Every structure is written in C-alpha cells, then in structure tokens.
Amino acid sequence: MYSARDYGREDMEQLSESDRAELISGKLYMLSAPGRLHQYFVSELLFEIKSYIRKKKGKCEVYVSPFDVRLFGDDSTIVQPDLLVVCNRDILTEKGCSGVPDWVIEIVSKGSSSHDYVRKLMLYQKAGVREYWIVDPFQEVVTVFNFEDPQKSCEYAYTEPVPSGVLEGLTVRFGEVAEGYK
C-alpha cells in the first residue's frame, strides 16, 4: 500500500490521471479503484448532500474523489476523501482544496478499512475537520466523529437516521439509500 522512501508533491504530479494516490507525511499510499458498491454510495450521498445545500440556498460545496485536499495548506499531506463538504470557499483552488474541509465522508472498501478507521481518522482530527463519517457498507454501520463536540460522536446502524453536524437539518437514512443497490 505504501513505499519506504519519502515522497513529495512532485511525485504525486508525475502519476498519471488514472492513478489514485494519497500523500501522508511523506508516505505515498496507492489507492485501488473503488468497486460498484462504493461508487453507488458516493453518488447517492453526493446527490443527497448537493440537493440539500441547493434547497437551503447554502454556501457550502460538496466534492467527490478524485479531488486533491492539501489538509495543512502545504504539500506535506495530500488526500482524496470520497466526499467532502467545504463551507469556506476561500480554501478552494483550481486544483482542489488547500485547507481543512468541514465534513469528510469515507466509504469503506475491503482493502481500505485500516486506512479509513485509523490513519485518516487521526489525520482528519489533527487537521481540524469538524466532522468525519466512516460508512461501512459491509457491516451496515456509519461511524460519526464530531470533533467539535465529541459527545455527538456515535455509531449508527443503517436503520437509524444519521444527522449531519455540519449541515443543520440534514439527516441521511442509509437504510433507504442501501435499498436502491441491486
């Protein structure tokens, strides 16, 4: 998944557009192409979040991977979250995002669980992401980390509505989302 030598932005730029990778503290993590279930959840969540923002005439924007996020505003860490919501448009650039998204959602793939549950969890918390969701379609749970108010952090079954801590009033019903996957 990663190599032993330190890498930098130049190495990321030399990858082809079809290569998916993340740079975390000088380590390059190659990402495999996501499967159909993963992409199904990404597209459904994108639609739901984008529709909610438009309906409420919100100022936040939602993006999906591949979309480079320079979490610390430099080239030390460049990640590609599955979905991210940015409410401060000043951090958006032509190449992605240079700063901390408000909300990040990762969909677990069979080979990515430790990357999402450990490495990225610590990284997003350190960077100052307000809220981080890990959607696990295999276990049918959503783990919500609300870094602003840890008491609102919780694990939800797909049968339970999951409220957003960033977009007030938005609730995602993963059971309904999952029903559409055949």
Side-chain angles (χ1 to χ4, degrees):
M1 187 177 219
Y2 76 94
S3 64
R5 78 171 179 93
D6 280 352
Y7 287 86
R9 183 195 82 240
E10 304 82 25
D11 298 298
M12 291 281 290
E13 290 173 352
Q14 289 181 10
L15 296 172
S16 73
E17 285 191 21
S18 62
D19 288 330
R20 296 183 63 234
E22 294 181 316
L23 179 66
I24 300 175
S25 302
K27 303 292 182 233
L28 190 63
Y29 296 87
M30 298 305 294
L31 307 173
S32 60
R36 186 173 146 245
L37 178 61
H38 180 279
Q39 291 304 89
Y40 172 81
F41 272 95
V42 168
S43 64
E44 290 295 312
L45 289 171
L46 172 65
F47 178 78
E48 198 158 327
I49 294 167
K50 192 170 208 64
S51 296
Y52 184 83
I53 292 170
R54 281 188 178 158
K55 178 181 171 189
K56 297 293 184 179
K57 296 180 177 35
K59 295 187 185 329
C60 300
E61 294 187 25
V62 60
Y63 294 93
V64 297
S65 181
F67 189 81
D68 284 350
V69 176
R70 287 168 164 73
L71 271 179
F72 301 103
D74 60 22
D75 294 331
S76 67
T77 300
I78 303 169
V79 293
Q80 292 191 358
D82 292 325
L83 289 110
L84 62 138
V85 174
V86 175
C87 298
N88 174 8
R89 292 181 181 188
D90 292 341
I91 66 172
L92 295 172
T93 69
E94 285 304 310
K95 292 194 170 205
C97 175
S98 184
V100 183
D102 294 274
W103 180 16
V104 172
I105 302 173
E106 297 284 4
I107 314 297
V108 174
S109 294
K110 291 193 183 213
S112 73
S113 62
S114 67
H115 194 59
D116 295 334
Y117 279 104
V118 179
R119 190 173 295 112
K120 283 188 155 181
L121 169 64
M122 292 186 300
L123 186 66
Y124 292 145
Q125 184 176 23
K126 179 181 176 184
V129 169
R130 291 170 54 196
E131 188 163 84
Y132 175 42
W133 288 15
I134 302 174
V135 180
D136 188 332
F138 306 104
Q139 301 295 319
E140 296 189 355
V141 296
V142 178
T143 307
V144 174
F145 296 94
N146 185 318
F147 298 126
E148 290 184 321
D149 186 355
Q151 291 192 2
K152 291 183 179 177
S153 296
C154 187
E155 185 173 279
Y156 295 88
Y158 273 20
T159 56
E160 301 172 284
V162 183
S164 168
V166 172
L167 299 177
E168 189 175 328
L170 173 65
T171 300
V172 179
R173 300 181 185 288
F174 283 88
E176 292 174 13
V177 171
E179 282 178 15
Y181 182 78
K182 303 266 186 245

